Amino acid sequence: MDNRLILVVGPGRSGTSLGTGMLEALGARVPEPRVAADDSNPRGFYEPRWVVEFHTSLLRAVGVHVGDAQPSAWSRAAEIGRDDEPRRRLEKWLRREFRRADHVAVKDPRLLWFLPLWERAASPVAGTRYLTMLRHPAEVVTSQQRHYVRWDDNNRVAGWLNTMLFTERATRGSTRALVPYDDLLEDPPAVLQAVCARLDLALVERARLPNMQAVDRLVDPALRRSRATWESMEVDRRLVEMAEEAWDLLTKLAAAGAEPPAALSADLDHLRRSYVDLYGFAESLTQSTRWTAQRSTNLATRLANRWAPDQPPLTLRSALGKGLRWMRRRISSADRARGPAGQQR
Amino acid sequence: VIRRRDLSNLEGLHQFDVRWHDGDPAHGMLTAVVRVKNEATSMPWVLPGLLRATDSVVVADNGSDDGTPDIAQEVAEAMGGRDRLRVVRYPFEVSRCGPEHLATPPTSVHSLTYFYNWSFSHVRTSYCLKWDGDMVLTEDGERSLDHLRWQLEGVQAIIHIPRYPVYVESPDVAYVDTQVVNREPWGWPNEAEYRHGKGFEWEVPIWPETVRSVRLPEWTCFELKWLDADEFQHWSTTDFGTNLRTRRKAREWEVFHALQQSQLPAGVRRVESPGALHVIDRLREADADTAIGR
């Protein structure tokens, strides 16, 4: 099969837009229409609107956030990914895209939650390849905090660990390339040649002068200026140590080529389990907070029923539903104020 | 006003930083930048036409050991063009085209990309012209370039020049490959947004997305290949692969070796100049019909 589906997977602000932009400059198709560019990404996000909406609806259905730090989020996302209905929709969309090109690149920070679904949907149409950009977690988190809705620094770092470590596991054994963001900025032709060789893409082979010029134009010297350190954030020491270890292992993995040593995979597995344990510990520590939140919800339900006796009795389920609808309305109005849909992360 | 970003190098050699000088019409319209390494044999045919058709010529010598810079100066002196020639020396080993180039960071002084940017930063005129040390202007080409000096006033354009390989066997015999014509961009404004970037096998010129093209006539120049020399020493491999970019190089390799073995490949024309006139001069004088059959 000559068709190639290149899934650019990684958390937002890790350089996935640059990576996808370069694939497009070399001749890959990035489906249209796309999420519009904004100040946080003036050259564009390279995210097809259809894909963003598709993923957003799936994530909503399972209650997973794009940068979710919960290890259990993976099994919830996987469950919906096993359904035939989304698989059929995705396959139909992919077939339409591959009628226009034989190399299609898809990027969306939500994509990493549904890799098995994409692989199943693509299998009759194209060979799937994975491209992951590696950018230091302190830089990713600093950039996320600047451009996205602000979460706690600790949660952002935990989200980076959760998404990177599980994405590594999900793509292990597949045809993949891990690309350090800085390397791509410093020397795009050398990196793109290596990526195309690794992923068996015909893009470099076919590239002409306008393609190479387009690649060069994507390198904005300003992109190199964002140098963040842990000192600029308030992150727990254990998380910093874990993030540094993950960064070190992933960097080694990127350099190791197509067949990394088994010991490296074992170290990544060990680190992933350590993260799951740490998250479990944090959950156990906050059990009282969850109990209070649960109790508040129950209290609100009882009060609502007392104040509106003529309405049907409010159950916990319907109270949550009302709350969710209220939150969606808030988010929608915030989105409208901010610009195109799908930008809030 | 957008200015080109000056470039420093990985090695921290500040005397070789690239400091741009945007074009100033007071210095003239056109400067040819000729990067050379051991091109002494070709200089007497390359330089005179360039010195006549442009406002100035910069010869950037990259460690020649055959006296290329001295020969260049002698040639310019002999034709009264010494004041329009500037010879600058770039003392670093520069990566050869192909895999060696790909493996070299573009900001290193050893990179072809950096060498090009450094060489072009010496230009002061409104336009710059990239020129190889083995490219010979035809008489028709000289006239076309000379006219460009007034035709380009107030115009932003990329100059495309067709170039044919000419394989020189002796002062009397040469071969023109009419099958592969290279219509590369050879000239552009000396302004912000015009520079060189790194390509997969060699450097690539970078310019704004919307800029018009000017194409010079078909028989404007030809590229000398001396059949008794190593014409591929600036390549780090002779496996040119199958991609569209190196197809021309693969053809040159094929033709060069066929001619060395006295075979005449399809599409190659034999040109003879039995009298006192050197075959290169005969080709310079020839029109397109005679030289390439069109």
Side-chain angles (χ1 to χ4, degrees), chain B residues 93-105 198 235-237:
Chain B
E93 193 76 29
V94 173
S95 298
R96 294 170 296 168
C97 296
E100 206 173 281
H101 163 74
L102 189 65
T104 308
K198 182 177 173 180
W235 272 81
S236 53
T237 178

Side-chain angles (χ1 to χ4, degrees), chain A residues 2-322:
Chain A
D2 292 333
N3 284 347
R4 295 280 181 269
L5 173 65
I6 311 145
L7 298 179
V8 184
V9 289
R13 313 307 298 183
S14 61
T16 47
S17 295
L18 180 72
T20 313
M22 292 217 172
L23 292 174
E24 182 182 50
L26 278 184
R29 175 177 170 75
V30 177
E32 305 261 8
R34 301 180 203 163
V35 172
D38 67 12
D39 289 344
S40 71
N41 225 344
R43 289 173 188 270
F45 291 88
Y46 300 92
E47 292 169 14
R49 291 191 75 95
W50 186 90
V51 172
V52 170
E53 283 160 16
F54 177 67
H55 287 151
T56 303
S57 69
L58 295 180
L59 286 174
R60 262 187 203 148
V62 292
V64 172
H65 176 252
V66 59
D68 213 308
Q70 299 172 80
S72 63
W74 293 100
S75 67
R76 299 209 298 280
E79 200 161 327
I80 201 165
R82 290 185 203 109
D83 288 353
D84 265 346
E85 192 275 334
R87 199 260 309 149
R88 271 195 293 268
R89 281 167 62 204
L90 185 53
E91 185 182 327
K92 190 176 164 192
W93 182 82
L94 282 168
R95 284 189 185 282
R96 203 172 58 234
E97 292 305 324
F98 277 101
R99 279 201 288 272
R100 296 177 170 94
D102 61 358
H103 283 58
V104 174
V106 177
K107 174 243 166 179
D108 175 17
R110 303 156 188 83
L111 177 59
L112 51 85
W113 294 105
F114 304 105
L115 300 185
L117 167 66
W118 275 84
E119 204 159 313
R120 274 194 311 128
S123 63
V125 188
T128 304
R129 306 287 189 262
Y130 296 99
L131 174 66
T132 295
M133 300 297 300
L134 293 182
R135 190 180 184 191
H136 192 276
E139 286 181 19
V140 173
V141 169
T142 302
S143 184
Q144 287 177 338
Q145 297 287 56
R146 187 179 305 135
H147 297 293
Y148 295 171
V149 175
R150 203 168 170 84
W151 287 62
D152 190 277
D153 285 344
N154 284 302
N155 189 271
R156 283 285 189 199
V157 177
W160 182 86
L161 277 163
N162 192 36
T163 51
M164 288 303 289
L165 291 174
F166 277 86
T167 298
E168 185 285 318
R169 183 62 191 86
T171 56
R172 200 181 291 172
S174 304
T175 310
R176 69 178 178 184
L178 288 89
V179 172
Y181 175 72
D182 287 346
D183 290 1
L184 188 59
L185 279 176
E186 291 298 328
D187 196 346
V191 172
L192 291 170
Q193 161 79 35
V195 166
C196 287
R198 173 79 61 80
L199 302 186
D200 189 23
L201 309 177
L203 299 172
V204 166
E205 183 84 358
R206 296 172 187 169
R208 305 296 295 261
L209 178 60
N211 300 106
M212 291 184 278
Q213 289 177 323
V215 165
D216 191 277
R217 286 190 198 106
L218 284 173
V219 181
D220 178 356
L223 295 172
R224 296 193 185 96
R225 289 188 204 128
S226 173
R227 288 280 177 266
T229 59
W230 295 116
E231 283 70 45
S232 60
M233 286 177 276
E234 288 183 15
V235 182
D236 182 84
R237 179 184 49 78
R238 286 162 297 183
L239 278 173
V240 170
E241 284 171 5
M242 258 186 199
E244 282 294 335
E245 189 181 347
W247 171 249
D248 181 50
L249 292 175
L250 290 168
T251 305
K252 282 181 184 153
L253 190 64
E259 289 179 19
L264 197 51
S265 297
D267 287 347
L268 282 158
D269 288 340
H270 179 74
L271 182 62
R272 202 177 59 255
R273 282 192 284 270
S274 299
Y275 172 71
V276 172
D277 289 347
L278 180 67
Y279 197 89
F281 168 70
E283 277 189 323
S284 68
L285 207 63
T286 57
Q287 193 173 11
S288 304
T289 309
R290 281 186 287 125
W291 181 83
T292 305
Q294 181 76 41
R295 194 161 177 273
S296 301
T297 309
N298 292 343
L299 185 65
T301 308
R302 283 203 302 276
L303 285 173
N305 286 336
R306 188 177 301 167
W307 287 339
D310 52 331
Q311 298 292 316
L314 205 59
T315 61
L316 174 61
R317 189 185 172 84
S318 61
L320 281 172
K322 279 189 175 185

Side-chain angles (χ1 to χ4, degrees), chain B:
Chain B
V1 178
I2 305 167
R3 292 192 61 82
R4 268 174 291 198
R5 215 165 49 95
D6 289 341
L7 306 173
S8 50
N9 51 70
L10 266 184
E11 291 79 7
L13 299 165
H14 297 303
Q15 66 274 36
F16 284 92
D17 281 353
V18 175
R19 306 215 179 282
W20 298 107
H21 299 87
D22 285 351
D24 179 353
H27 291 287
M29 175 59 81
L30 201 54
T31 297
V33 179
V34 193
R35 295 133 300 97
V36 290
K37 183 171 189 176
N38 295 335
E39 295 285 5
T41 319
S42 302
M43 282 293 106
W45 280 283
V46 174
L47 275 185
L50 272 187
L51 283 165
R52 283 189 292 267
T54 65
D55 296 285
S56 55
V57 174
V58 171
V59 169
D61 182 61
N62 183 212
S64 295
D65 54 20
D66 67 348
T68 300
D70 297 336
I71 300 283
Q73 281 163 345
E74 283 167 25
V75 170
E77 189 75 51
M79 60 169 293
R82 184 66 193 86
D83 59 325
R84 282 177 291 117
L85 173 73
R86 184 175 174 199
V87 176
V88 292
R89 290 166 201 267
Y90 191 76
F92 310 105
E93 193 76 29
V94 173
S95 298
R96 294 170 296 168
C97 296
E100 206 173 281
H101 163 74
L102 189 65
T104 308
T107 50
S108 165
V109 293
H110 301 292
S111 160
L112 203 50
T113 313
Y114 195 86
F115 177 34
Y116 267 75
N117 281 322
W118 181 83
S119 301
F120 278 79
S121 70
H122 294 90
V123 176
R124 303 287 192 276
T125 52
S126 301
Y127 266 74
C128 33
L129 194 65
K130 179 177 107 170
W131 208 260
D132 289 352
D134 53 8
M135 275 166 61
V136 178
L137 268 174
T138 64
E139 289 188 353
D140 192 33
E142 263 186 62
R143 283 188 291 273
S144 300
L145 264 192
D146 190 27
H147 286 313
L148 269 189
R149 286 198 274 176
W150 57 266
Q151 290 166 341
L152 288 174
E153 279 175 15
V155 174
Q156 294 270 314
I158 303 298
I159 307 163
H160 291 258
I161 305 178
R163 179 182 67 166
Y164 288 84
V166 165
Y167 299 84
V168 183
E169 183 179 280
S170 71
D172 302 334
V173 179
Y175 301 87
V176 184
D177 187 355
T178 63
Q179 191 166 301
V180 177
V181 54
N182 178 22
R183 296 185 180 87
E184 269 183 50
W186 290 99
W188 43 81
N190 177 28
E191 287 180 18
E193 298 186 65
Y194 294 84
R195 58 184 171 79
H196 281 92
K198 182 177 173 180
F200 293 109
E201 289 84 14
W202 50 71
E203 82 299 334
V204 290
I206 307 295
W207 59 68
E209 278 176 274
T210 51
V211 59
R212 58 176 286 212
S213 287
V214 169
R215 198 178 132 192
L216 295 194
E218 202 63 14
W219 188 238
T220 292
C221 79
F222 52 88
E223 181 184 18
L224 297 176
K225 308 270 178 209
W226 303 93
L227 282 174
D228 59 355
D230 178 3
E231 285 290 343
F232 298 90
Q233 61 181 334
H234 61 294
W235 272 81
S236 53
T237 178
T238 49
D239 174 11
F240 299 110
T242 54
N243 73 58
L244 296 169
R245 301 177 300 279
T246 51
R247 195 175 283 173
R248 178 175 61 84
K249 228 51 212 173
R251 164 76 180 176
E252 284 175 11
W253 174 264
E254 178 194 317
V255 171
F256 186 86
H257 288 90
L259 291 171
Q260 277 191 329
Q261 291 162 32
S262 304
Q263 294 162 5
L264 191 66
V268 177
R269 292 166 70 101
R270 181 182 165 94
V271 180
E272 293 186 15
S273 182
L277 192 66
H278 196 289
V279 69
I280 297 174
D281 288 320
R282 181 167 297 280
L283 282 166
R284 270 184 31 79
E285 289 174 2
D287 58 24
D289 291 338
T290 314
I292 49 175
R294 60 190 77 172

